[in-house]
Amino acid sequence: DQQVKQNSPSLSVQEGRISILNCDYTNSMFDYFLWYKKYPAEGPTFLISISSIKDKNEDGRFTVFLNKSAKHLSLHIVPSQPGDSAVYFCAASGDTGNQFYFGTGTSLTVIP
Amino acid sequence: DVKVTQSSRYLVKRTGEKVFLECVQDMDHENMFWYRQDPGLGLRLIYFSYDVKMKEKGDIPEGYSVSREKKERFSLILESASTNQTSMYLCASSSLAGGRDTQYFGPGTRLTVL
C-alpha cells in the first residue's frame, strides 16, 4: 500500500511562473520529509527537506510547506526555469530510522 | 564531493541468469539501500543495510538477495532473473550521524531481462 502519494503524474508550467508539486502521506508517524529531483538516466538528487517541527522551509527558489493535520506537503518553485524540468519525488521517514518511503513522482515540464 | 557509483549503466540478461549489481560509495556511510524504479510506482525499497554483514528486507525483497562484506560496497543479487525484474535499479547511501540523513543516489542501472 502506497504510504506516500503524488497524485499528479505530470505538470506543465510557463517559465517564470510558479510550479507547485503536491504530496500526500497516510502514516501519521512520518516526521521527516524530503524532495528529490531526477533527470533522465541519472539518480535522484536531494533538493530540500523539512522536519515536522516546522511548517515551511525555504532554499532559494524552492520552498517546501508541510501541513501535518492534512498530511500534505508541497514544493513551490518560484520562478520556474527550463532547467527545473525533471521528475520530482517526495519521500517521508518516521521514527523507524533511515528508511524512506517515496512517492510515485511528478514530471515537471517548464516551457520556455 | 559525494559519490555513489554503480557497476553498470545498462545491462541485458536472459531469464534464469544470475545477476550481480554492484554499488560503491566513498563517503564512509553506514547505511546503504537498493531501490527499483518503475513507471507509476516510484521508488520501492528492495533491501537495505545498516552495517557490514547486516541486511534488512525492504518492501519488495522477493527474488533478490544482497551482500555487504565491506562498508563501502553493497551488492544486489538476482538469483534467477525473470522478465518482471526488468527495471531501473538505484543504489543509495546515507550516514547515521544525527539520526536521519539525506540519501545520496548512484546514477542507476537499467536492467533488461529477456
Side-chain angles (χ1 to χ4, degrees):
Chain A
D1 190 28
Q2 196 80 23
Q3 297 191 61
V4 179
K5 299 178 183 179
Q6 294 174 257
N7 292 318
S8 298
S10 62
L11 177 67
S12 289
V13 171
Q14 287 290 135
E15 180 179 3
R17 307 293 284 268
I18 184 170
S19 295
I20 300 177
L21 295 90
N22 294 304
C23 180
D24 297 292
Y25 60 96
T26 57
N27 190 335
S28 58
M29 299 302 293
F30 289 153
D31 62 357
Y32 188 63
F33 306 87
L34 304 99
W35 283 94
Y36 281 87
K37 177 179 179 178
K38 185 181 184 301
Y39 292 117
E42 292 184 16
T45 54
F46 169 73
L47 198 55
I48 193 168
S49 64
I50 189 166
S51 162
S52 61
I53 61 172
K54 292 185 167 183
D55 54 17
K56 176 182 173 182
N57 190 26
E58 200 168 349
D59 184 2
R61 296 186 297 114
F62 302 92
T63 303
V64 56
F65 295 91
L66 176 62
N67 182 334
K68 290 185 289 292
S69 60
K71 296 192 183 69
H72 177 84
L73 65 156
S74 61
L75 174 69
H76 292 209
I77 306 173
V78 183
S80 301
Q81 299 173 354
D84 296 330
S85 297
V87 177
Y88 290 78
F89 292 97
C90 65
S93 172
D95 60 0
T96 54
N98 284 280
Q99 183 172 353
F100 281 91
Y101 296 86
F102 284 80
T104 52
T106 296
S107 178
L108 173 66
T109 302
V110 180
I111 304 161
Chain B
D1 196 18
V2 161
K3 194 106 182 200
V4 179
T5 56
Q6 294 182 229
S7 50
S8 306
R9 296 299 300 270
Y10 300 93
L11 211 52
V12 179
K13 295 291 182 181
R14 297 211 172 269
T15 302
E17 279 192 79
K18 191 168 186 175
V19 182
F20 292 88
L21 303 181
E22 302 283 341
C23 174
V24 178
Q25 51 94 4
D26 65 359
M27 298 159 285
D28 202 35
H29 282 170
E30 294 84 3
N31 306 321
M32 295 189 76
F33 306 82
W34 274 107
Y35 294 88
R36 61 178 283 178
Q37 182 198 353
D38 300 288
L41 296 175
L43 276 68
R44 292 180 294 166
L45 182 64
I46 304 171
Y47 268 98
F48 59 103
S49 169
Y50 288 146
D51 201 352
V52 174
K53 296 192 186 296
M54 179 271 170
K55 61 186 178 184
E56 293 283 345
K57 291 181 180 179
D59 299 319
I60 50 164
E62 296 80 18
Y64 303 94
S65 62
V66 289
S67 171
R68 192 159 181 209
E69 297 295 320
K70 294 185 177 181
K71 189 176 185 181
E72 67 271 18
R73 188 179 297 269
F74 193 34
S75 303
L76 180 69
I77 303 153
L78 287 67
E79 295 288 342
S80 177
S82 63
T83 54
N84 63 13
Q85 292 178 310
T86 292
S87 186
M88 169 70 84
Y89 289 88
L90 292 159
C91 174
S93 72
S94 71
S95 171
L96 271 176
R100 244 94 59 88
D101 192 20
T102 304
Q103 292 186 10
Y104 296 90
F105 283 84
T109 296
R110 171 74 63 184
L111 172 67
T112 302
V113 182
L114 302 174

